[in-house]
């Protein structure tokens, strides 16, 4: 059944539900307790930064997401991409902090070949971004940073097994072109 999305509110709900389902599948597959997800308005957030899209508090089991303006895939940020500041990517990123603390005790992740995001070299952020990409598009991670992919694969079973281009079906074509160009440079 095809899903037709006609407005930002529907897109936000679709992406939130898609990310939550992926997190639940990952946690169940890897015997990890699923964290609680709360979606709050910026005025209700504990972290009041205007640039913050979500947060995880050390020691907790709650991942908080503040839906921002970047909810549609665009040429720089899209679900499944190296950069993803959509609600989908934010949920996966913040769950990454939870998994990193509770299941890996903040273990240091290797830097590998290339940066996955502009958060680097902060180890906690490096893990959260690598985790996000490992869940959303493990094939892309295996191409872009094989060292981190191998590190993640040694610790966690992956949920998705699709080709990176198949994962991008329906995403903004400009984003796909940009990613193809970046991959061609490393080949």
């Amino acid at each position: 059944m095809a899903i037709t999305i006609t407005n930002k509110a529907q897109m936000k709900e679709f992406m939130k539900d898609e990310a939550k389902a992926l997190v639940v599948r990952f946690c169940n597959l890897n015997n990890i307790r699923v964290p609680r997800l709360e979606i709050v308005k910026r005025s209700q957030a504990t972290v009041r930064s205007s640039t913050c899209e979500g947060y995880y508090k050390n020691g907790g089991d709650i991942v908080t997401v503040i839906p921002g303006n970047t909810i549609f895939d665009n040429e720089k940020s899209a679900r499944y991409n190296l950069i993803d500041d959509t609600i989908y990517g934010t949920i996966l990123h913040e769950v990454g902090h939870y998994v990193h603390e509770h299941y890996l005790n903040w273990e240091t992740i290797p830097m590998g070949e290339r940066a996955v995001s502009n958060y680097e070299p902060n180890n906690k952020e490096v893990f959260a971004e690598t985790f996000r990409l490992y869940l959303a598009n493990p094939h892309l991670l295996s191409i872009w940073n094989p060292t981190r992919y191998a590190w993640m694969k040694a610790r966690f079973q992956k949920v998705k097994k699709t080709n990176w281009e198949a994962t991008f079906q329906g995403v903004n074509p400009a984003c796909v072109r940009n990613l193809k160009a970046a991959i061609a440079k490393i080949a």
Side-chain angles (χ1 to χ4, degrees):
M1 178 175 92
I3 298 172
T4 303
I5 296 173
T6 58
N7 61 50
K8 288 183 179 182
Q10 286 177 328
M11 177 57 93
K12 192 184 301 183
E13 277 304 305
F14 173 75
M15 291 173 84
K16 179 182 72 171
D17 292 345
E18 184 182 23
K20 284 170 56 177
L22 186 60
V23 166
V24 169
R25 283 195 313 270
F26 173 84
C27 288
N28 289 338
L29 188 62
N30 289 284
N31 297 312
I32 293 173
R33 193 171 60 116
V34 179
R36 201 170 94 214
L37 175 66
E38 64 178 20
I39 308 290
V40 301
K41 294 178 182 171
R42 195 163 300 282
S43 61
Q44 300 169 315
T46 304
V47 176
R48 299 293 175 140
S49 167
S50 62
T51 59
C52 177
E53 299 293 331
Y55 52 91
Y56 164 76
K57 292 182 182 175
N58 290 357
D61 66 348
I62 300 173
V63 169
T64 304
V65 175
I66 308 160
N69 294 326
T70 312
I71 59 169
F72 286 103
D73 296 333
N74 62 52
E75 64 184 72
K76 293 183 181 173
S77 172
R79 286 171 296 153
Y80 329 121
N81 200 4
L82 293 171
I83 298 170
D84 183 356
D85 59 0
T86 65
I87 190 171
Y88 176 89
T90 302
I91 289 169
L92 299 184
H93 173 99
E94 297 305 332
V95 170
H97 288 307
Y98 164 81
V99 169
H100 196 193
E101 179 185 19
H102 288 279
Y103 296 90
L104 296 175
N105 197 28
W106 300 118
E107 183 178 343
T108 300
I109 186 168
M111 294 308 283
E113 295 75 12
R114 281 165 287 288
V116 172
S117 82
N118 60 351
Y119 278 124
E120 301 195 25
N122 179 321
N123 181 59
K124 289 180 181 179
E125 299 300 339
V126 167
F127 179 85
E129 283 294 282
T130 302
F131 178 86
R132 174 192 53 76
L133 193 53
Y134 185 73
L135 263 66
N137 199 338
H139 183 231
L140 179 57
L141 179 61
S142 74
I143 295 167
W144 192 256
N145 197 316
T147 300
R148 284 197 211 159
Y149 173 78
W151 191 88
M152 292 295 286
K153 189 176 176 193
R155 286 156 180 78
F156 304 108
Q157 293 185 49
K158 60 185 176 181
V159 177
K160 290 185 175 184
K161 296 180 181 175
T162 60
N163 173 285
W164 80 263
E165 290 180 271
T167 304
F168 267 79
Q169 285 188 325
V171 172
N172 182 326
C175 191
V176 177
R177 281 192 304 275
N178 291 344
L179 190 53
K180 282 183 178 180
I183 289 172
K185 289 179 184 176
I186 64 173

